[in-house]
Amino acid sequence: MRGMIDFFRIICHNKRSFIGLIILVIFILMATVGPFVFKLNMTVDYNNRYLTPSFEHWLGTDFAGRDTFIQLVHGSKEVLLVGLLAAFFTLFVGALLGTISGLVGGRLDAGIMLITNLFLTIPSFPILIIMAAIFSIRDPISFALVLSAWSWPGLTRAVRSQIISLKERDFIVICKVMGMSKPHIIFKELMPSITSFLSISFIMTMRGAITGSVGIMMLGLAPYSPTNWGQMLNLAISQTGGIFNPLGFIYLFSPILCLALFQLGSIFFANGIDEALNPRLRG
Amino acid sequence: MTLVIVLKRIGMAFVTVCLATVMTFILLRLTPGNAIDGWARDYATQFGITLEEAYRRIAAMINYNPNEPLHEQFIRYISGLLQGNLGVSMVYQQITVNSIIANAMPWTIFVATISLLISFVIGMLLGVRMAWKRNSILEPSVSLFTVITSAIPDFIFAILLLVVFAYGLDWFPVNGAYDPFVTPGFNIDFIVSVLYYAAMPILTFVITNIGGWALMMKGNAVSILGEDYIIAAKARGISDSVIMNRYVMKNAMLPMITMLAVTFGGMLGGATLIENIFQYPGIGYFLGEATRTRDYTVMQGIMLFLSVTMIVANLIADLVYSKLDPRIKVEG
Amino acid sequence: MRARKLKLLLLSFVLVATVVLNGCTEDNTKVFRDLGGWPKPPLFQGNPFASGGVGQASQYTFEGLFQIVRSTDKIYKRLAESVEHKGNETIIKIRPGVTWQDGKPFTSKDVWSYYMLNNGVEITKHLTSIEIVDDTTITFKWQEPSPFTEMKDLFLAQDQQATIPYHLYGKYIDKVDELLKQAKKTDDPNKKGPFGLEITDKLRKDIDKNWQDFLTAGPKMPVGTGPFIVKKVTASDMILEKNENYWKVENIHFDRIFIKNPGSDSSGLALLKSGKIDTYPGTPPRDILENMLATNKDLVHYRMFDPATIGMVFNLDKPPFDNQKFRQAVVYALDRTKIREVGNYYGQEADVSMTGMPQSELTKWITPENRETMTKFTYNPDKAGELLTELGWKKGADGNWADPSGTTPNFIIGVSGGWLQAVNSAQIAAEQMTKFGLPTKLLAVDGSVYYNNSTKDKGAYHMSVDWVDVSWGFMFPWNSLRNFYWGGIGNMAHLPKFKDGPDKGKLNMKLPGPDGQVVDIEKTLQSMPYLQKDEERKDAIFKLAWITNENAYGVGFFQNTTGYFENVKTIKGWPREDEFEKYDRSLPVPTEPDDIDAVSEINFGFGGITYFVEGRLSPRE
């Protein structure tokens, strides 16, 4: 408990991570409470397309006259949940296998690296098509699992090389000499040193998962959802040619801005985590 | 590092390549669906033949017998491979997979290598500086730059650059790999043209990738900064720039080499952005085209080639890495 | 580190230097700048029949005896000088003095070669033989009964006969000629192949093998008879030069054609906007279109009917879609105005469900009185509700309908994911059905599995979105009707077919027609090309259209409106110049017959390069 309080004290103390925390809280509220507050109506209202922001439509309307902001709110649940879960799975598998592989070495390392390399090289397209033929994704967890299937190997390799370079550093060697337990070395000494690397990877993976979810939808593995941020972006591009329809700019940039803000919040927040977990950086 | 260990590593890489070959082969054969339906419809429209005739004709055009047992297909494929022959395209029957790769690979490698190196180097330099002065304006501005460049789809970025530099200012060509009026070959016109045409794709890639490298580098550099030898170096009065460039940079960069290899491998097959928007005749286009037409021989040929590149890149990264960092023991 | 910095510096220097060194390569010759696609080298080759063909170069290099304009069925004579129908023979005189682009003369033997090798084209099923009379005369002998005269013209006009020069492919042509001579004549309609011959499986195999060999034997660059010759092909550019020996070279006012491969729609639009191309096909979403015209004052946009309707067919193998009334209810429940606004703002809505022919053709072939007898299916949710209630369905408290057994359905619409226009339209349809109380989800699937999923066994979807009511090629409605009943759309609808017996695979559909008499759809379709009298044909067309509409096998969302942007500052000769101001350069679909012809022909997909061959286009000095 004290740890938690300390953690938040540090976060709140650091201006940047405090801002990050606020941004994240807003997004979480948007995804959880938002859909109940704002009712989604996807009926076409062509004459009111591309409206500019107003009290009625906070971010104006899309190419078919539907409220952009409410679409973002309803899309956020799926996007954030799937993104977070996918990033979490990736990070969990990547960090775990990478650490084991880097620390233990030997046969185990060779085995893990073989599997990792195989996954790095096996093409995703045929597998996704095969999966689409067999079943259809209905819940966020399996969606996230599918997305993370191709992102963990890169991370595993990266974590492994981080660990290998760390384990020969002076402070770890000293810890070993002092006879500290393995778990202590891993969780108190090694992990803190790679948290900032991991948090950046987490954020990058999440972004990759959000854009990747569109591809999965378009292969027919998951039902089509026009409020998915990635799909909103896709639609905005096709309706504006990217940049050839000035009326559509707000609609085009809304999901981009949301993605950017969410990532910015995560990065700022990660700064705080870094300092909370890595005592050497404080002061 | 002994020769035995290096050989062991190469052996492992070889095993990976073999497994990847087998799995790619099997997966492709299991993939449902085909390109014939859409193709037949286009063909019927174009040549004024009935749909049934179009189907029949296309079935005849595709050099693939679905009734041939899997193991026979596999043996045929492998025996071809052993002779360095990746087979003939199932759809473009006069073209060998080898010639497709030989034509496309140089372009992809050219753009991927240059853009990767530029973005990597700039990213490293930025990252170290961000870690060094953690409270300066540099850190939040790079973070902001990164989130913006990664949230805006690459596609829009490329179009924006094109609209400004190619369509608006007319400084750069619209697309392509070289001027169509220049004769390809080892002549100065061609070389200049190739560099000129590569500028925009490279720029796009560099801008969209610097941020990620910078942030990851910053993460690594921060943890190095807490090390005793850095503190000791500071105490000894060694100048900041020397500590930053010699000590921090070098040590923080080491683990990134693995990432470099993984990214490079991924870029070769996945540089679809560059290759589509800029009509670059690289491997991404041919892989995409083969996937669209379900040209299994081309697909498996290119995928195998990419696997090998990826595995070799990783092998080199591993070996280079342990060479650069004397503290690391290469374990076999 | 320093060395690397130096290298970087050098590299950037080189890049900047190249910008300065590279001047504009455009010269002052008379150029037309087009855009399009083609297989990139090394995939590119000169045989138009091989995989990928020759892409955008096809219309410029190859031609036929005729040029038919899709959507108007107007036929221009190209390599044919005259046509004479005499009894069951058609005698065609070829223009004398025409040469292939490599200098060899084009003769009737080349036309014969085309039909020997490419013997799967439609016309051969109606011929007994093709005979060379002399170098410029060729005779087509028709089987009895033979199609009506206009149909014969259409069959002849839809082929591109000058694509298989005998002097290049002689080996394969002689081989197939020899193989066809081994086949016996037959009168069994089920065994009848080209030229009334029975092609045994063994023969079929040899013919296919020969075809396959022919495909790999093409020259590096296309050799046609057309006005332009392909000179250079790269991944991004194609350069064509004027064929100085073209038979109508005095009409060709351009020295070169540059074709740019834009890679994406956005790049294409950017090229157009910045004035780097002279033409651009299609009608983008309204706001993009308006932005293009506003920012580049040299552009004019012509819109034209596309004889193609985007719509959705119901899967008859999936209850409750086997029920006619239920299908009708779904059609009534859809507000097609809203679908059209999103799918293609300029498109045309229909008041029928679907008819097997594009809406624009109905007035041409069906009399106003007959048209009145066809049920109107305009948006009417109350009527839809009534129909459902009649069937025993009940609306629950949650607003969802439940079938007589009390279950609320969960419908799936399938669509090919890469086709955004259809995905958007389908999404609105799913939305509307859900709102109406029939919960419906959309699955956008990869194009390579879509058709198979939709047609195999009982089908994976309740509804499939595709081109319905569409006429590829000529317009005589038999074409679009058979496209529905015999083609892929019918398979998506899972139309009833004989499972075995002598008629295996044929339609098992005998349905009451407008006058209450039963119509056998398979037989009616089969007889259509042989109906010699115009009234008979119109009567058959009306019966089939009426039945298709009443049974509501599907719903046409909207008839597509396509279009072309043209740069009127660089190129002159485009139609309707006097109306540019009136419509502020955004010309609606024409209504005057002359305008309809003129506008259809600027569409390369419809009329090929008619504007070039007829000498209408020239560069503005």
Side-chain angles (χ1 to χ4, degrees), chain A residues 26-35 69-84 210 225 227-229 232 258 262:
Chain A
I26 292 175
F27 273 107
I28 291 168
L29 284 177
M30 178 171 168
T32 49
V33 186
F69 175 72
I70 298 178
Q71 289 188 54
L72 279 174
V73 169
H74 280 256
S76 64
K77 195 176 100 191
E78 187 187 296
V79 169
L80 299 186
L81 191 59
V82 168
L84 277 172
I210 291 170
S225 151
T227 56
N228 176 304
W229 292 357
M232 277 178 81
C258 273
F262 182 61

Side-chain angles (χ1 to χ4, degrees), chain A residues 105-270:
Chain A
R107 286 248 168 94
L108 193 60
D109 178 34
I112 291 176
M113 277 305 108
L114 180 71
I115 296 170
T116 312
N117 282 342
L118 263 182
F119 263 87
L120 270 178
T121 54
I122 285 174
S124 56
F125 175 80
I127 298 185
L128 290 176
I129 286 272
I130 294 170
M131 284 167 76
I134 298 167
F135 69 104
S136 167
I137 295 176
R138 300 206 185 270
D139 60 305
I141 295 183
S142 38
F143 206 144
L145 278 174
V146 170
L147 281 167
S148 42
W150 277 269
S151 53
W152 69 266
L155 192 70
T156 305
R157 285 200 63 100
V159 169
R160 174 179 171 269
S161 53
Q162 293 275 356
I163 296 290
I164 290 180
S165 97
L166 276 174
K167 76 174 178 185
E168 302 300 330
R169 295 241 188 104
D170 303 344
F171 67 96
I172 303 289
V173 174
I174 291 168
C175 287
K176 277 190 198 156
V177 172
M178 282 166 67
M180 287 180 177
S181 71
K182 265 237 158 92
H184 177 91
I185 296 179
I186 294 174
F187 291 107
K188 294 276 164 171
E189 304 294 339
L190 280 178
M191 278 298 162
S193 301
I194 58 166
T195 36
S196 49
F197 174 80
L198 287 182
S199 53
I200 297 302
S201 306
F202 187 84
I203 293 155
M204 294 287 174
T205 318
M206 196 155 59
R207 168 224 168 193
I210 291 170
T211 39
S213 61
V214 179
I216 294 208
M217 244 192 292
M218 284 321 209
L219 284 177
L221 201 52
Y224 179 85
S225 151
T227 56
N228 176 304
W229 292 357
Q231 191 54 40
M232 277 178 81
L233 203 54
N234 239 8
L235 285 170
I237 291 172
S238 77
Q239 294 294 323
T240 61
I243 48 167
F244 303 110
N245 175 6
L247 295 172
F249 281 177
I250 299 174
Y251 174 55
L252 174 67
F253 284 109
S254 295
I256 294 179
L257 196 71
C258 273
L259 280 174
L261 265 179
F262 182 61
Q263 285 187 57
L264 196 67
S266 311
I267 291 179
F268 280 1
F269 183 65

